[in-house]
C-alpha cells in the first residue's frame, strides 16, 4: 500500500542520484507554451509578469523555460531536500523562484493567487484518503477566475498503467512501475479525451485536449495534454 513517507524518501533519493548540472525542458511543455496550433494558442503576450505554479517540479527542468517566457515562477514538491536541490540549480542559472513543500491536494498558497498552473506528469497523483476531484478543487482554489491550467495525464497504453489495479471512479493503484518509483501509489487514469473533458468540466471550461502516442525505444509513453480555464 501507498506510504507518503516512503514516497518522499524514494523520490528524494531519485533526485539526489540524478542531480545533474544541466537541465532541459520537457518537449510537450515547450510546444504547448510556445507553439501555435489550429486548436491551441496560449498567447505569449500574456505571460510576462503572470504568476505560474509548477506542480511537482522534480528536477526543475521547466523553470528556465518559464522564466524565459517572463513568468513569475513558483513551485511545489513533496520534500525539502528536493526543493534544496532545485534551489542550487536555479541559483547557478540566476533564476528566481519561490519553492514550497506541497502536494496536489495541499497547495500552500492563498485563494486565486496564480494566473497559470503547470502540471508536467504530476497532477494525477492522488494522496491517501483523497481523490482526483480533490486535486481539481485545490487547483481551482489557487487559480484566479479564467486562470489557465496546463497538465499531462496518463493515456491508455502508457507503460505506468500496465498491470495497475482498478480501485474505482477511474482511480488505479500502480503495481508494476519498471523504475520502482510509484508502486503502491494511486493515480487517476483516463479512458479517452471525452473522459478528460467530462472530469475537468466540473471546475474548468474552454477545455482543450490532445493525445500523444509515443513508443520511445520500447517504452510506451501515451498521454493526454489538457489546457483549460478555471470557472
Amino acid at each position: 500500500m501507498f506510504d507518503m513517507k516512503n514516497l518522499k524518501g524514494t523520490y528524494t533519493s531519485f533526485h539526489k542520484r540524478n542531480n545533474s548540472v544541466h537541465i532541459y525542458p520537457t518537449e510537450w511543455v515547450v510546444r504547448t507554451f510556445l507553439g501555435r496550433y489550429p486548436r491551441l494558442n496560449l498567447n505569449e503576450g500574456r505571460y510576462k509578469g503572470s504568476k505560474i505554479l509548477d506542480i511537482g517540479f522534480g528536477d526543475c527542468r521547466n523553470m528556465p523555460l518559464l522564466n524565459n517566457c517572463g513568468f513569475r515562477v513558483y513551485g511545489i514538491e513533496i520534500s525539502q531536500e528536493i526543493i534544496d536541490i532545485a534551489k542550487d540549480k536555479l541559483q547557478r542559472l540566476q533564476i528566481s523562484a519561490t519553492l514550497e513543500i506541497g502536494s496536489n491536494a495541499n497547495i500552500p498558497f492563498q485563494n486565486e493567487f496564480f494566473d497559470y498552473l503547470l502540471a508536467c506528469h504530476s497532477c494525477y497523483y492522488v494522496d491517501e484518503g483523497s481523490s482526483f476531484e480533490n486535486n481539481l478543487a485545490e487547483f481551482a482554489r489557487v487559480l484566479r477566475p479564467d486562470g489557465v491550467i496546463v497538465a499531462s495525464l496518463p493515456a491508455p497504453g502508457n507503460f505506468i498503467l500496465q498491470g495497475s489495479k482498478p480501485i474505482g471512479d477511474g482511480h488505479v493503484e500502480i503495481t508494476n512501475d519498471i523504475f520502482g518509483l510509484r508502486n503502491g501509489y494511486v493515480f487517476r487514469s483516463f479512458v479517452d479525451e471525452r473522459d478528460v473533458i467530462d472530469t475537468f468540466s466540473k471546475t474548468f471550461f474552454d477545455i482543450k485536449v490532445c493525445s500523444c502516442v509515443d513508443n520511445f525505444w520500447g517504452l510506451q509513453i501515451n498521454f493526454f495534454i489538457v489546457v483549460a480555464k478555471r470557472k
Side-chain angles (χ1 to χ4, degrees):
M1 288 295 293
F2 161 68
D3 182 319
M4 188 62 173
K5 183 178 179 181
N6 225 20
L7 183 80
K8 287 181 180 180
T10 300
Y11 266 99
T12 299
S13 297
F14 173 81
H15 285 294
K16 282 182 175 179
R17 290 195 309 270
N18 295 279
N19 185 11
S20 171
V21 172
H22 305 290
I23 50 178
Y24 307 95
T26 305
E27 181 185 359
W28 77 259
V29 176
V30 178
R31 296 175 68 183
T32 300
F33 277 92
L34 299 183
R36 290 177 176 82
Y37 302 98
R39 292 193 292 122
L40 181 69
N41 180 1
L42 280 181
N43 187 1
E44 297 170 44
R46 299 180 60 186
Y47 295 167
K48 189 172 183 180
S50 294
K51 290 180 286 191
I52 189 168
L53 178 65
D54 190 350
I55 298 171
F57 57 78
D59 60 5
C60 69
R61 65 182 59 190
N62 292 311
M63 289 185 175
L65 168 69
L66 301 177
N67 179 74
N68 291 345
C69 287
F71 286 112
R72 294 161 62 187
V73 181
Y74 296 75
I76 58 170
E77 257 298 349
I78 58 174
S79 81
Q80 187 61 47
E81 287 180 276
I82 296 175
I83 289 172
D84 291 342
I85 292 170
K87 283 182 175 179
D88 287 343
K89 292 180 180 179
L90 295 175
Q91 185 175 27
R92 290 196 297 268
L93 295 169
Q94 298 183 315
I95 292 172
S96 175
T98 301
L99 309 182
E100 302 287 349
I101 296 174
S103 67
N104 288 322
N106 185 19
I107 298 174
F109 291 96
Q110 66 192 40
N111 295 352
E112 300 182 5
F113 188 75
F114 295 104
D115 303 290
Y116 293 82
L117 300 184
L118 169 63
C120 179
H121 304 322
S122 62
C123 77
Y124 44 84
Y125 285 71
V126 176
D127 290 345
E128 187 175 17
S130 186
S131 71
F132 186 71
E133 283 67 30
N134 296 126
N135 292 359
L136 289 181
E138 185 71 343
F139 301 155
R141 181 187 70 78
V142 298
L143 263 179
R144 64 167 177 78
D146 290 340
V148 176
I149 184 170
V150 178
S152 56
L153 307 161
N158 190 304
F159 78 94
I160 195 62
L161 299 177
Q162 299 303 309
S164 60
K165 176 185 175 183
I167 56 176
D169 295 325
H171 296 73
V172 299
E173 180 184 336
I174 303 304
T175 61
N176 193 33
D177 178 11
I178 63 173
F179 297 110
L181 288 171
R182 291 154 285 217
N183 289 329
Y185 209 94
V186 173
F187 279 17
R188 175 63 159 88
S189 63
F190 296 86
V191 175
D192 52 28
E193 293 186 16
R194 184 74 255 169
D195 188 16
V196 174
I197 293 170
D198 289 345
T199 302
F200 275 75
S201 64
K202 299 169 186 175
T203 41
F204 293 89
F205 73 102
D206 193 17
I207 302 167
K208 299 178 174 66
V209 184
C210 76
S211 302
C212 301
V213 178
D214 183 12
N215 186 290
F216 197 76
W217 307 111
L219 194 66
Q220 196 69 42
I221 308 173
N222 301 346
F223 60 98
F224 300 114
I225 302 170
V226 58
V227 177
K229 294 179 182 177
R230 183 218 153 181
K231 289 183 177 178

